[in-house]
C-alpha cells in the first residue's frame, strides 16, 4: 500500500512551518520560512497575509516534491493567537494582520477596566484585561474606518482556511478563546460581553472544533499549491493548544513549556481553573470539552532573535554561508561562562509582562555590568533570564494547586541542548525534550489524522506522533547559584515596577 499523508501548516509569529506527516506519525519533510514583522509608530506591529500565504505556498511545494498529491488525505492549520485581521464576506483581507504584540488597543484597556471590571471580565472569559489577546484589537477595528466594509474580524486561521477552500468563515474554539471573550465554561462567544463591549457577534467567525472537517481544498488553491482539489480541510487550532497536544500534554500532571517568539507554560485541565489574581489564562483546548491554564511571556525566543540580529552578525554570516546555526554558536559562547553569568542579571520583558505579574509597561533590563563582562556573559544572562521568567510562572501555577509531574520542553528554543540544560538547572527539576520540537506543527497534524478518522482519540494519536528524545536532569551543583539569582530576579522586577521606571521609559502608544 502506498504511504498516505497529512499536511500540517503551522503559522507562527516569526516563522511558518509546513510539515508532511505520514498517517503513522512520521515526519517526512518540513519546510520553514521566516516571517517579517512590520514595526510601526506607536508600538503597532503588523504582518502581511499575502506574504504569509506566499510562504505557505512555497513551503507546500517543497515538502510535496515527488509526492503523489492523491496520497494527501487531510490538511490542518495552527496559528498564532490574539492576532486579528479584517475580512470581507469572501474571506479576502481588508487589513494586514494586527499581531498579538501590537499595542494600538492600549486605550481600550482602561475602558474595559472601567466599564466591565477586570474581575468580572476574567471570571466570564478566563483572561486578564491585556492587549495580547484579541479584544483590544477588535475594539480598535470597531472604531476604525474599515468597520462598515467588514464581514468578520478574525484570527489568521480563518483567513488561511478560507484561502484553502473553506466556504464559511470559521475558527476553532481554542483560537477563538484568545480572540474575543468566551463564556469559558461553555466555550462559546459571550453574549453579555458582546453587548457590554458593543462588538456584535455577527462580526465574529463561526466557532468549530479543532478536529472538524470544515471544507475541501478548492480547485484554485489546489492549482496554486500543486495539489489536487477535494482534500479534506480540518480546522486545527491555536498554536499554544496545538503545541500542548503535540507534546503529549493531554492529561493532568503534565506541563508544557513552549519556547517560541514568546514562551508559554501550559497545564492540561479537565475542568476550567481560574486564577484568583485574574492573571493566568484559562482557555479552551483543542481537545474537546477540555481546558488549559497557561501563563506566557511576551518575548522569549524573540529576545534571542533580537540579540542575534543586532549583535550576532558574525555568527549569522557564518550560518548564511552554510555553517552552524547562529543560535547554536551564540549558545556555545554562553556555555563558555559559568552559571550566573559572573553576576549579570537579565530581565527579558522587552514587550511587557503578562504573568505572573501583569505590567504592560515592563521593559528589558540588564543589571550588574562591569568592565570585565564580555558578550558571552550577556548571552548567558539572556538565556538564564528567560528561564527565570518561566520558573516564576510555574511557581504561580503550583501555588494554585496545579499538579506538575512532568515538564516537556518544545518550540524553537528547545532545539538548543545548552539552553535546555539551563532550563533544567533553573527550574530545578528534570525536563523532557521530544524528537520533534515543533509541537504546534505536530499538534495540527494530530488534529488532521483524528479529523479524518485515522485515529479514534488523542491518546491513540499521541502514542504515534509524540516521541521522547531525552530527559535532562538538573545539575544540582548549580542550585545555590540559581536560587539566589531567581530571588534577585523577582525582587528586582518588583522594585522596577513599583518605582515607576518602566512607565517612565515606555513610549506612548497612539490610538
Amino acid at each position: 500500500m502506498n504511504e498516505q499523508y497529512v499536511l500540517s501548516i503551522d503559522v507562527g509569529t516569526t516563522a511558518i512551518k509546513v510539515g508532511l506527516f505520514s498517517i503513522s506519525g512520521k515526519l517526512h519533510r518540513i519546510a520553514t520560512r521566516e516571517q517579517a514583522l512590520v514595526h510601526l509608530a506607536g508600538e503597532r506591529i503588523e504582518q502581511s497575509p499575502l506574504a504569509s500565504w506566499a510562504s505557505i505556498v512555497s513551503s507546500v511545494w517543497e515538502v510535496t516534491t515527488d509526492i503523489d498529491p492523491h496520497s494527501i488525505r487531510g490538511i490542518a492549520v495552527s496559528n498564532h493567537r490574539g492576532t486579528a485581521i479584517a475580512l470581507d464576506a469572501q474571506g479576502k483581507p481588508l487589513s494586514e494582520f494586527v499581531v498579538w504584540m501590537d499595542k494600538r488597543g492600549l486605550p481600550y484597556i482602561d475602558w474595559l477596566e472601567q466599564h466591565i471590571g477586570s474581575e468580572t471580565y476574567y471570571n466570564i472569559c478566563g483572561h486578564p484585561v491585556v492587549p495580547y489577546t484579541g479584544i483590544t484589537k477588535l475594539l480598535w477595528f470597531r472604531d476604525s474606518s474599515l468597520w462598515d466594509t467588514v464581514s468578520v474580524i478574525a484570527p489568521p486561521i480563518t483567513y488561511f482556511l478560507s484561502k484553502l477552500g473553506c466556504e464559511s468563515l470559521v475558527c476553532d474554539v481554542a483560537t477563538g478563546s484568545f480572540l474575543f471573550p468566551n463564556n469559558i465554561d461553555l466555550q462559546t462567544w459571550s453574549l453579555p460581553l458582546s453587548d457590554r463591549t458593543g462588538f456584535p457577534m455577527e462580526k465574529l467567525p463561526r466557532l468549530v472544533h479543532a478536529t472538524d472537517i470544515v471544507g475541501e481544498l478548492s480547485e484554485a488553491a489546489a492549482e496554486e499549491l500543486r495539489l489536487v482539489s477535494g482534500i479534506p480541510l480540518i480546522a486545527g487550532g491555536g498554536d499554544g493548544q496545538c503545541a500542548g497536544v503535540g507534546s503529549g500534554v493531554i492529561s493532568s500532571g503534565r506541563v508544557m513549556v513552549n519556547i517560541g517568539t514568546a514562551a508559554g507554560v501550559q497545564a492540561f485541565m479537565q475542568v476550567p481553573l481560574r486564577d484568583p489574581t485574574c492573571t493566568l489564562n484559562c482557555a479552551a483546548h483543542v481537545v474537546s470539552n477540555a481546558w488549559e491554564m497557561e501563563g506566557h511571556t511576551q518575548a522569549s525566543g524573540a529576545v534571542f532573535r533580537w540579540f542575534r540580529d543586532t549583535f550576532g552578525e558574525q555568527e549569522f554570516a557564518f550560518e548564511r554561508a552554510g555553517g552552524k546555526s547562529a543560535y547554536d554558536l551564540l549558545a556555545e559562547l554562553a556555555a563558555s561562562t559559568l552559571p550566573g553569568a559572573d553576576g549579570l542579571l537579565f530581565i527579558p520583558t522587552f514587550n511587557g509582562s503578562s504573568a505572573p505579574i501583569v505590567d504592560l509597561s515592563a521593559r528589558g533590563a540588564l543589571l550588574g555590568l562591569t568592565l570585565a563582562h564580555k558578550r558571552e556573559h550577556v548571552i548567558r544572562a539572556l538565556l538564564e533570564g528567560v528561564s527565570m521568567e518561566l520558573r516564576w510562572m510555574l511557581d504561580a501555577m503550583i501555588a494554585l494547586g496545579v499538579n506538575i509531574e512532568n515538564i516537556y520542553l518544545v518550540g524553537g528554543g528547545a532545539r538548543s541542548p545548552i539552553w535546555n540544560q539551563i532550563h533544567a538547572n533553573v527550574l530545578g527539576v528534570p525536563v523532557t525534550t521530544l524528537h520533534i520540537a515543533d509541537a504546534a506543527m505536530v499538534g495540527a497534524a494530530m488534529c488532521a489524522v483524528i479529523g479524518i478518522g485515522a485515529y479514534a482519540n488523542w491518546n491513540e494519536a499521541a502514542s504515534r506522533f509524540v516521541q521522547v528524545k531525552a530527559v535532562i536532569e538538573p545539575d544540582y551543583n548549580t542550585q545555590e547559584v540559581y536560587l539566589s539569582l531567581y530571588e534577585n530576579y523577582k525582587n528586582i522586577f518588583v522594585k522596577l515596577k513599583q518605582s515607576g521606571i518602566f512607565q517612565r521609559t515606555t513610549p506612548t502608544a497612539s490610538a
Side-chain angles (χ1 to χ4, degrees):
M1 181 181 294
N2 292 331
E3 190 82 80
Q4 295 184 317
Y5 305 95
V6 293
L7 275 174
S8 173
I9 301 171
D10 175 28
V11 182
T13 311
T14 53
I16 284 174
K17 302 180 183 73
V18 174
L20 180 72
F21 287 83
S22 66
I23 298 297
S24 62
K26 179 182 178 183
L27 175 61
H28 281 258
R29 291 176 186 159
I30 181 174
T32 302
R33 304 286 186 273
E34 285 201 0
Q35 292 231 80
L37 291 169
V38 180
H39 293 262
L40 305 172
E43 294 189 281
R44 300 182 181 209
I45 304 175
E46 296 182 349
Q47 206 161 56
S48 166
L50 302 182
S52 296
W53 174 251
S55 292
I56 290 173
V57 170
S58 67
S59 297
V60 170
W61 292 351
E62 182 177 332
V63 301
T64 57
T65 300
D66 300 328
I67 297 294
D68 179 1
H70 294 90
S71 65
I72 298 174
R73 292 185 53 196
I75 302 172
V77 181
S78 81
N79 73 147
H80 48 100
R81 307 162 299 169
T83 295
I85 186 172
L87 301 175
D88 68 13
Q90 286 72 47
K92 294 180 180 178
L94 301 173
S95 73
E96 303 289 85
F97 289 129
V98 179
V99 179
W100 57 269
M101 295 182 285
D102 185 279
K103 299 290 178 63
R104 73 187 65 192
L106 274 179
Y108 295 101
I109 296 292
D110 291 339
W111 187 92
L112 289 165
E113 290 175 341
Q114 293 169 10
H115 290 81
I116 297 175
S118 299
E119 187 173 351
T120 298
Y121 184 89
Y122 181 90
N123 285 332
I124 292 173
C125 69
H127 290 297
V129 179
V130 289
Y132 62 80
T133 64
I135 180 61
T136 59
K137 303 169 188 67
L138 269 62
L139 296 179
W140 180 87
F141 274 117
R142 181 202 63 188
D143 295 338
S144 74
S145 59
L146 290 172
W147 184 245
D148 291 339
T149 62
V150 168
S151 179
V152 300
I153 307 297
I157 202 167
T158 306
Y159 168 70
F160 293 118
L161 287 172
S162 176
K163 283 287 289 183
L164 289 166
C166 183
E167 293 183 354
S168 58
L169 300 177
V170 303
C171 83
D172 64 288
V173 294
T175 299
S177 66
F178 270 85
L179 177 74
F180 183 79
N182 270 207
N183 176 327
I184 193 56
D185 295 300
L186 300 177
Q187 299 186 358
T188 59
W189 301 131
S190 170
L191 180 58
L193 288 181
S194 170
D195 290 340
R196 294 179 69 174
T197 59
F199 192 97
M201 294 178 70
E202 58 267 23
K203 293 217 176 188
L204 293 168
R206 177 171 62 87
L207 290 174
V208 297
H209 293 291
T211 55
D212 286 350
I213 294 176
V214 294
E216 295 181 344
L217 189 67
S218 68
E219 290 186 4
E223 182 177 359
E224 196 168 1
L225 295 170
R226 300 175 184 171
L227 300 176
V228 293
S229 62
I231 298 172
L233 303 175
I234 297 86
D239 55 1
Q241 294 95 329
C242 281
V245 297
S247 57
V249 178
I250 51 178
S251 60
S252 298
R254 294 187 171 194
V255 172
M256 174 195 71
V257 175
N258 185 10
I259 304 161
T261 303
V265 176
Q266 182 188 121
F268 182 88
M269 299 288 165
Q270 297 284 4
V271 295
L273 174 66
R274 289 172 172 82
D275 176 5
T277 69
C278 303
T279 300
L280 294 170
N281 302 76
C282 176
H285 215 302
V286 292
V287 178
S288 294
N289 300 313
W291 290 260
E292 49 93 3
M293 170 165 275
E294 64 179 277
H296 26 80
T297 72
Q298 295 304 294
S300 292
V303 175
F304 200 12
R305 178 175 174 175
W306 164 83
F307 188 94
R308 181 201 69 176
D309 294 347
T310 308
F311 302 108
E313 177 54 36
Q314 178 180 340
E315 289 78 12
F316 207 6
F318 188 79
E319 176 184 331
R320 289 194 296 263
K324 187 180 291 188
S325 158
Y327 291 121
D328 289 343
L329 292 169
L330 292 170
E332 288 171 5
L333 273 176
S336 69
T337 66
L338 294 174
D342 198 18
L344 280 188
L345 189 147
F346 187 95
I347 294 176
T349 51
F350 281 35
N351 196 44
S353 170
S354 51
I357 295 176
V358 176
D359 188 339
L360 307 180
S361 66
R363 291 296 176 265
L366 180 63
L367 294 93
L369 279 169
T370 71
L371 294 174
H373 285 117
K374 300 179 181 179
R375 195 165 60 122
E376 48 263 41
H377 294 102
V378 177
I379 302 166
R380 179 160 200 126
L382 184 156
L383 299 179
E384 291 174 342
V386 171
S387 299
M388 297 289 165
E389 190 177 17
L390 294 171
R391 176 169 176 173
W392 205 357
M393 280 185 273
L394 279 167
D395 284 352
M397 287 187 180
I398 292 170
L400 292 177
V402 175
N403 179 32
I404 298 178
E405 298 173 2
N406 303 100
I407 296 176
Y408 296 82
L409 289 180
V410 297
R415 290 193 182 88
S416 169
I418 293 168
W419 203 1
N420 291 340
Q421 186 65 61
I422 289 174
H423 289 312
N425 295 347
V426 170
L427 299 178
V429 295
V431 297
T432 299
T433 61
L434 304 174
H435 277 290
I436 305 176
D438 300 307
M441 183 183 69
V442 175
M446 291 167 65
C447 291
V449 294
I450 294 172
I452 63 175
Y455 292 86
N457 54 54
W458 293 101
N459 284 323
E460 280 190 14
S463 70
R464 303 301 295 272
F465 280 76
V466 183
Q467 300 298 323
V468 170
K469 181 179 182 181
V471 177
I472 302 169
E473 297 286 340
D475 178 356
Y476 292 103
N477 293 321
T478 67
Q479 295 304 288
E480 185 176 348
V481 169
Y482 281 132
L483 182 59
S484 175
L485 190 65
Y486 178 51
E487 293 303 317
N488 287 341
Y489 180 96
K490 292 186 291 182
N491 290 334
I492 289 171
F493 184 89
V494 170
K495 285 180 170 61
L496 287 171
K497 174 179 171 58
Q498 292 174 342
S499 71
I501 289 175
F502 284 144
Q503 291 86 344
R504 292 197 296 273
T505 57
T506 301
T508 301
S510 57

